[in-house]
Amino acid sequence: MNRKIIIAIDGYSACGKSTLARQLAKSLHYTYVDSGAMYRAITLYFIRHQISYNEANHISVALQGISLEFRQNENTGNSDIWLNGENVEKRIREIDIAEKVSEVAAIPQVRKLAEKCQRDMGKNKGIVMDGRDIGTVVFPHAELKLFMTADMATRVQRRYEEMKEKKGNVSLEEIRKNIEERDYLDTHRKISPLKQASDAILLDNTHLTKEEQLDFALALAKKVIDGILT
Ligand code: CDP
């Protein structure tokens, strides 16, 4: 299993993309990149600096002031996103960021910046990246593409549990509203909208355990790496 590939995982909000991407990266000793964290961190910067989303000049100047990096967290073993030298991994999961991120992610200059970083990170392959446009725009030639979904009630419940664990005080209804809004904005934006690439494999994990979804994806990845599946 020496050939390194790129695995692109796209799909709707809160359907378990990052869980699967992290599992796959761990099993294959690949790097996991959470592209959504980049859009969330940029959103945090825009909120803090009160950047107006409609002013192209302000946006360009603001983006010059942003430095993003992923650093390994020794305690969790995951990689956290840092914004201008500050670990913002926890902060960007809060609901105020979720409420604004899809608007920020639709801004052309924002996407250009994030996509460039994402392509650089994939230069040497051996990477699992999840997002909305990874298999369609960022890595259209990724060797393995998955498109994930799950039914709405399951996604809302999963995100609710996740936020409760992190001590977030958000209701099921707020989460449902946010997920529905983001699904709409992400699938309807002009640039790089969320859609299934024609060569992506659909994975509906509504009734799958974490282990089952990993087994499914890992079997595919191994076949691709071994050249059995193209
Ligand atoms: O974890 P969750 O599914 O809630 O979302 P995320 O992956 O953290 O992404 C947050 C938001 O960033 C999405 O709703 C999109 O608006 C945007 N995003 C994007 O436009 N393109 C990507 N490749 C990744 C995220």
Side-chain angles (χ1 to χ4, degrees):
M1 292 219 310
N2 290 329
R3 190 169 85 103
K4 284 199 185 291
I5 63 167
I6 293 179
I7 303 177
I9 304 182
D10 289 306
Y12 295 96
S13 299
C15 63
K17 298 181 300 292
S18 62
T19 303
L20 177 62
R22 213 173 265 127
Q23 289 173 311
L24 273 175
K26 195 166 174 212
S27 305
L28 296 166
H29 304 288
Y30 278 16
T31 302
Y32 163 55
V33 179
D34 174 359
S35 71
M38 302 173 73
Y39 292 100
R40 285 173 179 266
I42 295 171
T43 303
L44 173 61
Y45 184 91
F46 276 25
I47 291 176
R48 281 179 175 171
H49 295 265
Q50 295 171 345
I51 307 300
S52 152
Y53 304 161
N54 307 318
E55 310 255 0
N57 283 348
H58 291 183
I59 292 167
S60 298
V61 172
L63 290 176
Q64 285 169 22
I66 295 182
S67 145
L68 296 176
E69 49 177 330
F70 287 97
R71 289 194 210 162
Q72 195 68 15
N73 180 322
E74 304 298 333
N75 297 324
T76 61
N78 295 330
S79 84
D80 290 349
I81 189 148
W82 289 61
L83 166 66
N84 293 342
E86 173 192 356
N87 186 340
V88 293
E89 181 62 37
K90 258 202 194 144
R91 175 67 185 88
I92 60 164
R93 307 294 160 191
E94 290 177 22
I95 193 78
D96 61 329
I97 304 296
E99 282 168 356
K100 289 276 172 270
V101 62
S102 289
E103 259 181 273
V104 173
I107 300 171
Q109 297 108 299
V110 169
R111 300 210 71 79
K112 204 170 155 202
L113 175 87
E115 283 167 19
K116 187 187 175 306
C117 297
Q118 290 155 11
R119 287 204 184 96
D120 284 349
M121 286 186 272
K123 258 190 208 144
N124 299 322
K125 303 209 174 188
I127 195 167
V128 186
M129 192 177 290
D130 76 325
R132 301 292 185 287
D133 59 343
I134 309 305
T136 48
V137 175
V138 180
F139 296 121
H141 302 297
E143 288 83 355
L144 177 60
K145 299 180 188 178
L146 297 172
F147 188 86
M148 287 179 70
T149 188
D151 72 28
M152 182 56 82
T154 307
R155 291 159 58 203
V156 172
Q157 189 61 37
R158 284 179 185 160
R159 183 51 48 96
Y160 178 70
E161 301 294 338
E162 209 179 294
M163 294 192 82
K164 214 168 65 181
E165 213 170 279
K166 290 176 185 159
K167 313 254 181 298
N169 188 19
V170 188
S171 69
L172 270 175
E173 214 23 67
E174 274 175 284
I175 291 176
R176 170 185 299 278
K177 190 169 162 275
N178 177 251
I179 289 179
E180 283 173 354
E181 273 172 14
R182 278 198 292 137
D183 278 359
Y184 183 84
L185 291 173
D186 292 346
T187 48
H188 286 79
R189 70 180 172 223
K190 278 203 193 112
I191 314 172
S192 313
L194 168 64
K195 63 175 181 213
Q196 183 175 352
S198 57
D199 52 352
I201 295 163
L202 183 67
L203 171 54
D204 181 335
N205 70 1
T206 307
H207 302 292
L208 296 185
T209 63
K210 287 180 188 171
E211 292 72 29
E212 286 167 338
Q213 72 174 9
L214 176 62
D215 288 348
F216 174 86
L218 199 53
L220 286 172
K222 286 182 175 163
K223 279 186 192 159
V224 174
I225 291 167
D226 292 341
I228 298 166
L229 190 74
T230 50

